[in-house]
């Protein structure tokens, strides 16, 4: 399991094509925010959800196996109990990373993916990790490129 800063940084720096399984077309859902953020930061996002023909201007696929291009990261926005078949599909399409989102912890699926040569990340958000590791966190929507717990002195409150 990859759970250290250098490992997460390497994964996000070297893998640029993300298939988001369970990506919602609703703008207020966390999966939509994460996918939109990653697109804005230069990643190719491939939606995987049988309910939609298109999300965020990208063609949506019914399953991972339907995607015609090489996928680096399989980002799972599904319940923990739904992850094993996704892991099996990720192995079948020769993805490099099985990434389980916040609150998703299917250890058996992660072990199966790792046994097949994939890297596995659990209980982490690609958007949060990218922002934390590459300078996207901020106070007011402005990228300050500084991560600090200190409140700036120039703020009036």
């Amino acid at each position: 399991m990859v759970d250290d800063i250098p490992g997460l940084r390497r994964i996000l720096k070297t893998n640029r094509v993300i298939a988001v399984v369970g990506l919602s077309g609703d703008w207020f859902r966390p999966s939509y925010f994460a996918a939109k953020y990653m697109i804005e930061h230069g990643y190719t996002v491939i939606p995987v959800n049988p309910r939609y023909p298109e999300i965020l201007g990208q063609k949506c696929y019914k399953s991972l196996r339907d995607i015609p291009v090489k996928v680096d990261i399989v980002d799972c926005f599904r319940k923990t109990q739904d992850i094993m078949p996704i892991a099996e599909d990720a192995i079948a399409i020769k993805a490099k990373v099985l990434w389980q989102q916040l609150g998703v912890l299917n250890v058996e699926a992660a072990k199966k993916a790792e046994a097949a040569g994939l890297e596995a990340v659990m209980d982490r958000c690609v958007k949060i990790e990218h922002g934390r590791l590459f300078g996207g966190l901020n106070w007011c929507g402005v990228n300050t490129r500084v991560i600090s717990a200190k409140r700036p002195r120039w703020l009036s409150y």
Side-chain angles (χ1 to χ4, degrees):
M1 245 56 75
V2 179
D3 200 35
D4 59 285
I5 288 174
L8 294 169
R9 183 176 280 130
R10 177 183 44 75
I11 286 171
L12 290 172
K13 192 171 190 175
T14 60
N15 298 290
R16 307 300 294 180
V17 180
I18 305 172
V20 183
V21 180
L23 177 56
S24 174
D26 295 328
W27 66 268
F28 52 86
R29 301 291 299 168
S31 60
Y32 190 92
F33 282 122
K36 188 171 188 292
Y37 173 92
M38 297 309 281
I39 289 169
E40 290 169 355
H41 285 83
Y43 290 81
T44 299
V45 171
I46 302 169
V48 179
N49 189 330
R51 292 178 44 211
Y52 301 96
E54 181 181 289
I55 301 173
L56 288 166
Q58 309 298 314
K59 179 178 174 16
C60 200
Y61 294 90
K62 292 186 187 305
S63 79
L64 286 171
R65 294 177 191 247
D66 294 334
I67 299 171
V69 297
K70 180 82 175 108
V71 171
D72 297 324
I73 300 173
V74 175
D75 186 12
C76 305
F77 276 93
R78 298 298 311 268
K79 294 177 185 165
T80 298
Q81 61 266 29
D82 297 339
I83 299 300
M84 186 57 83
I86 296 167
E88 291 165 352
D89 286 351
I91 293 165
I93 67 167
K94 297 180 174 39
K96 296 178 186 173
V97 181
L98 177 68
W99 189 301
Q100 299 177 51
Q101 276 292 332
L102 286 173
V104 184
L105 295 148
N106 191 320
V107 176
E108 293 78 27
K111 285 181 181 174
K112 186 169 189 168
E114 286 181 326
L118 280 75
E119 291 188 279
V121 178
M122 293 193 311
D123 195 28
R124 291 190 180 265
C125 174
V126 291
K127 176 187 178 296
I128 291 170
E129 295 305 323
H130 186 277
R132 181 171 75 99
L133 300 172
F134 297 100
L137 294 179
N138 55 66
W139 270 96
C140 306
V142 177
N143 186 351
T144 61
R145 300 225 177 261
V146 176
I147 299 174
S148 174
K150 271 189 171 176
R151 183 172 288 171
R153 291 180 178 216
W154 53 267
L155 289 177
S156 58
Y157 52 88

